[in-house]
Amino acid sequence: MLRASAPCSQQAVPVRRHSTTTTNNSSGADTVPRGTFSMQEKLPRLPIPSLKDTATRYLKSLEPLLTPAEYARSEKAVSSFISPGGLGPELQRRLQEADQSASHSWLEDIWLKKAYLEWRGPSYINVNWFALIGDSADFPLIPNATRGQVSETQIRRAVRIITHMLEASEALNAQTMTVDKQKGKALCMDQFKRQFGTTRIARMGCDELVSQYPATARHIVVMYRNQPVSVPVYNSKGQRASLAQITAQLVEAVRAVDKTIAKEGAAPPVANLTAAHRDDWAQARAMLELDAGNRDSLDAVDTALFGVCLDVDVDASAAADAERSLAVFAHSDAGANRWYDKAMQLVFLNNGRMGVNCEHSPVDALTTGRLLMEATAKEQGPLRDIAAADNLAPPQPLRWNVNADVAELITKARGEARDLASNLRVLLGTSADFGGALQIKTWGVSPDAFFQVALQAAYLRHHGHAAATYESASLRRFLHGRTETIRSCTSDAMAFARALDSDVAPASKALRMRKAAETHTELSQAAALGQGVDRHLLGLRAQLRNEDELREASLFVDPAFAKSSTFVLSTSNVTPGDRFRGGFAPVVADGYGINYAMDHKDIKFSVSDWRASSATDAQAFRETLKSTLADVGEILK
């Protein structure tokens, strides 16, 4: 059944948004099929850390970022906050009460609302994450695909992936998908319930999510030439269409749009509104919903199992280049040919290349990543077709009745999306000077810690100072867990970074590197156990009732709080990267977005920044990061 997210509170607590979220520390699926959600009742609830513990960790995270005078001021602010007469104990008591009344987790609704649904800027680029999916030997790229034309390779690959995604949806419905595990322990599978049939709905002030589980929709939504088409992939009895039928459905969807455009001209590009400021889109959507036909079209998109985008208006040289293709998957042509509110959109260029663009609110990236990796793994070799579904309904291009006000908002959205897209720069990088994760492990260092410490050294080399850093840790070992922040900029990491280019002996440098890596691993483990800093502080902030209390909350009004949570480096580990090269935008104006994968033989990463920033240079920083990774590897050899 359809369900909406809980109403948003009136008090906004701004937090940073991240377009990919979880670190992958040897997470894998159970090899024995069992009920997908059979372990849920055995999972512990997310704990609430003690005020003292969080205060200690928080102050430790400030050390590399502050001057001695600033740090002394922050110590005083934190001490006042957590003291018996401070506001901290009362906020902690309120949070504990909220935990008692929460069905599954004290953090779940707070995180969804504050990190995502209350965000009013465009989800486009700012919230949605994107990825380049590895090419398939079974569907070799077309060297010079004709711009403006759908190709057979494009359709065939889309059909194959659609089929495997439908299989995944069916496995979830039947609860036969295996349970993810980490070091032998079951992880929460709840996010998978919001993977199919899920859409973010724009509402004034605060969005909502609509979701289906079991996902019983019979259709997907296909975007072609900026027009959405409802494409049935099941008949009325729930029988899935065969490969041949899905192929015919996509071909017919393309034909129907081409025919309509040739006869009537292009329909209003309502999909462009999904790239708009959320309140602009909410205003436009409210006007669209006054019309019964528009309501039907919106419902068709909202309930669709997932989106499929057939891109044809892409330059052949851009489609052939991996880095330029990633930019297409990030933002298309100023947001064209996407419905950015869908939880998952599979994007196929007409040369056969594949990518994804996903709205981040309902699930974290590695949840979708598992589905993508399993679907693409099945691309290899022939696939036995199933029997044709009887009486499969034909595709239906969606119709819109747009008034002048909505048309004006569409034009505005298009212009603002073009500006935002032109501002974003996303670059790919690979480091293979010393190998990858396998080699790093032989040095007795965690591959993730290796990258994070090297990243701190690279940033110091390039910019000359430390930067607040976000790395996401998975909380899926807890019921309905999402993520916690690993504050990767540590005093130990900076001690190594400063030593790297000094005349310190190589052996001493190696010792400092190992110490920094050990510290990072300890922080990562604590964060995964719910003993981080940022989610607890967010929970406490969410308990503030008015501006007077905010002024009294000395920890939050101390300038160090804003400085330490303005994440100049926003990072995410999405290992493995052989078939999945992700990316996301920086979360601050003068920052970088760093997505990386520690593969067996190399390290793959992407670097994003805003072109308008005079403080960042993604191209130069990419080269600094590559050389720093090589230098750190040389030290540990």
Side-chain angles (χ1 to χ4, degrees), residues 318-399:
D321 182 81
E323 194 168 82
R324 294 172 68 186
S325 294
L326 185 65
V328 172
F329 302 138
H331 51 65
S332 184
D333 176 20
N337 209 47
R338 305 282 185 273
W339 197 280
Y340 286 100
D341 291 344
K342 290 303 293 180
M344 179 170 57
Q345 294 184 97
L346 312 174
V347 185
F348 299 90
L349 307 186
N350 66 347
N351 70 339
R353 178 154 277 160
M354 178 187 172
V356 296
N357 189 288
C358 301
E359 209 287 321
H360 201 356
S361 303
V363 299
D364 297 323
L366 285 183
T367 306
T368 309
R370 174 183 171 180
L371 300 179
L372 290 167
M373 293 305 93
E374 291 180 355
T376 55
K378 295 177 181 178
E379 278 191 289
Q380 312 304 316
L383 180 66
R384 184 177 180 180
D385 206 354
I386 62 174
D390 297 330
N391 301 316
L392 189 66
Q396 293 293 329
L398 302 182
R399 300 283 184 166

Side-chain angles (χ1 to χ4, degrees), residues 219 221 228-230 285 288-304 339 396-401:
H219 67 287
V221 60
V229 185
S230 177
R285 183 171 175 125
L288 288 168
E289 288 173 341
L290 296 175
D291 179 89
N294 289 340
R295 289 197 298 273
D296 289 343
S297 292
L298 289 168
D299 184 68
V301 177
D302 296 342
T303 60
W339 197 280
Q396 293 293 329
L398 302 182
R399 300 283 184 166
W400 308 102
N401 183 12

Side-chain angles (χ1 to χ4, degrees), residues 469-535:
T469 305
Y470 175 109
E471 182 190 358
S472 49
S474 174
L475 291 176
R476 284 181 59 202
R477 67 180 61 193
F478 299 105
L479 188 64
H480 287 217
R482 291 288 299 259
T483 64
E484 173 60 276
T485 303
I486 305 167
R487 292 190 165 207
S488 302
C489 182
T490 65
S491 294
D492 288 330
M494 293 312 298
F496 167 72
R498 286 189 292 268
L500 180 60
D501 292 325
S502 73
D503 56 3
V504 171
S508 180
K509 292 179 183 180
L511 286 174
R512 295 188 193 193
M513 169 62 193
R514 293 181 187 281
K515 173 61 176 172
E518 289 172 3
T519 298
H520 182 81
T521 299
E522 290 170 1
L523 287 176
S524 300
Q525 292 171 346
L529 291 172
Q531 300 298 314
V533 170
D534 292 85
R535 299 302 180 265

Side-chain angles (χ1 to χ4, degrees), residues 453-469 494 497 568-569 590-592 615-616 621 624-625 628:
V453 175
L455 178 63
Q456 298 304 314
Y459 190 87
L460 183 68
R461 268 182 170 179
H462 198 83
H463 291 281
H465 58 85
T469 305
M494 293 312 298
V568 174
L569 290 172
D590 293 329
Y592 295 104
T616 61
F621 186 61
T624 301
L625 179 56
T628 304

Side-chain angles (χ1 to χ4, degrees), residues 223-228 257 267-272 335-338 414:
M223 295 295 304
Y224 169 66
R225 297 182 68 179
N226 218 18
Q227 306 298 314
V257 171
V270 170
N272 285 156
N337 209 47
R338 305 282 185 273
R414 179 76 168 164

